[in-house]
Amino acid sequence: MADETLLAVVETELMKQPHKTFSDLCKEALWQFLCVPESVRPTTPKAGQMEQPVAELKRQLAEFEQRFMARESSRESSRLEAIEPQLNQLLHRESSRLDAIERQLHQLSGQLAQLSILVNQQPKSESSRPFVPEVKQEVKQAEAVTSTAPPAEIDDPLLNRLSAFLDDF
């Protein structure tokens, strides 16, 4: 009997205030079921009263996010400024290395041109002689000619491989 009466009060409150939560409806129904006057009931904060603190919390959260983003941006900026000299140094080093490689390639192409000139200047009558030893001798001559140039740094594995081919040639 009491359950049916409480259910009826809940349904009545639901019809009056459909936007209330189930918890609020049950509380209201119990207050009415127990015949507690409204003046004695504890007051719950109204939705309008809660909007102001919520708005204040949203404003504070937005300020916090802005300060956080500004700090992170500043931190990232300082990191980039710290990395920039290292990048410039690396770029300069690689540029120097590329220049050295280009100089070495230029020297090698000059040596190849000299070798081709020497090979083309050989008389045809000597073709019966073994060809390879003469080329090695001419390569040594060409190396002697180019040895007057400043010693090239042969640190590059590609140049090492090319020089091995030149020696074999």
Side-chain angles (χ1 to χ4, degrees), residues 54-100:
V54 169
E56 180 65 23
L57 285 175
K58 284 183 179 178
R59 186 188 61 77
Q60 289 176 353
L61 182 62
E63 287 178 5
F64 175 75
E65 286 177 349
Q66 287 177 347
R67 284 185 295 189
F68 180 77
M69 294 303 287
R71 188 173 0 148
E72 286 297 314
S73 175
S74 172
R75 189 178 297 165
E76 291 297 322
S77 177
S78 65
R79 284 184 190 163
L80 289 176
E81 288 175 2
I83 291 173
E84 188 175 346
Q86 294 173 352
L87 286 176
N88 286 336
Q89 186 180 14
L90 181 64
L91 180 65
H92 178 70
R93 188 176 5 166
E94 291 300 319
S95 176
S96 298
R97 195 168 159 216
L98 182 63
D99 289 343

Side-chain angles (χ1 to χ4, degrees), residues 10-19 25 32:
V10 168
E11 287 177 349
T12 304
E13 285 298 317
L14 183 60
M15 293 174 112
K16 287 180 188 174
Q17 302 171 355
H19 62 280
L25 287 174
Q32 286 183 11

Side-chain angles (χ1 to χ4, degrees), residues 8 20 22 46 48 55 76 84 103 105 115 132 154 157 165 167:
K20 280 197 165 185
F22 181 74
K46 304 283 184 199
E76 291 297 322
E84 188 175 346
R103 279 192 308 266
L105 284 176
L115 284 175
V132 175
I154 303 178
F165 287 131
D167 290 341

Side-chain angles (χ1 to χ4, degrees), residues 45-52:
K46 304 283 184 199
Q49 294 172 342
M50 294 300 290
E51 288 179 9
Q52 186 176 3

